[in-house]
Amino acid sequence: MSAAPESPAGVSRLVLWRHGRTEWNATGRFQGQQDPPLDGEGRRQATVAAAHLVSLLGLATEDTVVVSSDLDRAVQTAAALTDLLGLPLAVDARLREHGLGVWEGLTRDEVAARHPEQFADWQAGRPVPGRGGEDPAAVAARALSLVDDLPPARVAVLVTHGGTSGRLLEALLELGPEHRRVFGPLGNCAWSELVPQGPRWRVLRHNWSAPSVDSSAQRDGVPRRARPGGAPPEDAAPPAQDADAVA
């Protein structure tokens, strides 16, 4: 794994924000670097989450930088925030999703049926030979290089994807492959927040979302107990069909 960069000069808070829901998320298809747009629910999530981020973090035009993956679902999500702030949106392919090779466009059930050994390796967090796409270390390296290049800002918001955000978070914390997925996956439009602590990064929030974004806040019409300030409910997890959440 590439060495984690020292915290960028002048960046006092780093936000890793996953895009809103797409139809492929809702139907359980691995997206990888395919480019489905947000669905109606995803656009709503982005609008609500953007307003919550502005309020929660006190974001202002003069001290915030927003950089998005070049994939449309991330760009649409990021635009909800930059439109509120009146900021230009920087787009960078280094934040795009983990390439998943022959799995892209398939559901979990289809992958399990067609590539059972690969699927078992993936579920166990092991390398997946024969799938194609990208190695997790390469995903971490490209995302880390973007963090290295960030300009000075009080808050930098990186709008990215489930797999890439996971690999970047692990790399920033200098976690080796044996600790892959030690942090649970981000739900749609949820984020992680990190701050510098000496030469390292410290996690302040993980899988945090605006209160009305988390569609898992109810089960069978029964409200679930949420933690204060927009954190997901204590037993919340991404929908089982959200394939990219644990890529």
Side-chain angles (χ1 to χ4, degrees):
M1 176 176 291
S2 301
E6 292 191 1
S7 54
V11 174
S12 60
R13 188 173 302 254
L14 185 64
V15 177
L16 311 181
W17 186 23
R18 188 185 179 210
H19 62 80
R21 197 184 78 173
T22 69
E23 183 180 350
W24 283 25
N25 287 142
T27 57
R29 295 193 181 277
F30 287 97
Q31 296 175 121
Q33 295 184 359
Q34 299 301 307
D35 206 16
L38 299 182
D39 62 11
E41 174 62 13
R43 292 190 295 272
R44 186 197 68 81
Q45 290 174 339
T47 298
V48 172
H52 188 70
L53 277 166
V54 170
S55 174
L56 178 69
L57 301 181
L59 300 184
T61 303
E62 62 272 11
D63 61 8
T64 303
V65 170
V66 182
V67 186
S68 173
S69 156
D70 62 334
L71 297 178
D72 191 51
R73 57 192 182 273
V75 171
Q76 288 182 282
T77 301
L81 180 59
T82 55
D83 288 352
L84 275 181
L85 294 172
L87 276 174
L89 173 58
V91 174
D92 197 304
R94 288 177 288 180
L95 289 176
R96 63 167 41 197
E97 180 60 299
H98 187 157
L100 296 175
V102 297
W103 290 18
E104 293 182 1
L106 302 180
T107 65
R108 285 190 182 203
D109 288 345
E110 288 169 339
V111 170
R114 298 181 195 183
H115 310 285
E117 292 183 0
Q118 292 178 10
F119 190 70
D121 285 336
W122 174 77
Q123 285 193 308
R126 297 188 294 263
V128 185
R131 178 176 65 181
E134 290 181 283
D135 183 80
V139 177
R142 61 172 162 83
L144 280 173
S145 72
L146 181 137
V147 174
D148 269 336
D149 291 344
L150 286 172
R154 185 179 67 84
V155 181
V157 181
L158 308 184
V159 188
T160 184
H161 305 267
T164 300
S165 63
R167 304 297 76 76
L168 178 55
L169 180 61
E170 291 157 3
L172 288 168
L173 299 176
E174 302 182 69
L175 301 177
E178 69 276 13
H179 294 115
R180 189 176 174 202
R181 297 183 186 163
V182 69
F183 284 89
L186 293 178
N188 285 121
C189 253
W191 61 89
S192 300
E193 287 177 51
L194 301 94
V195 295
Q197 183 168 282
R200 299 179 180 275
W201 291 94
R202 175 188 177 203
V203 177
L204 290 185
R205 296 182 175 99
H206 176 66
N207 203 27
W208 204 264
S209 63
S212 58
V213 162
D214 182 16
S215 60
S216 65
Q218 291 194 7
R219 179 183 290 151
D220 299 327
V222 179
R224 296 163 68 189
R225 188 158 58 93
R227 287 179 279 174
E234 291 177 355
D235 58 343
Q241 74 273 17
D242 184 3
D244 285 345
V246 287

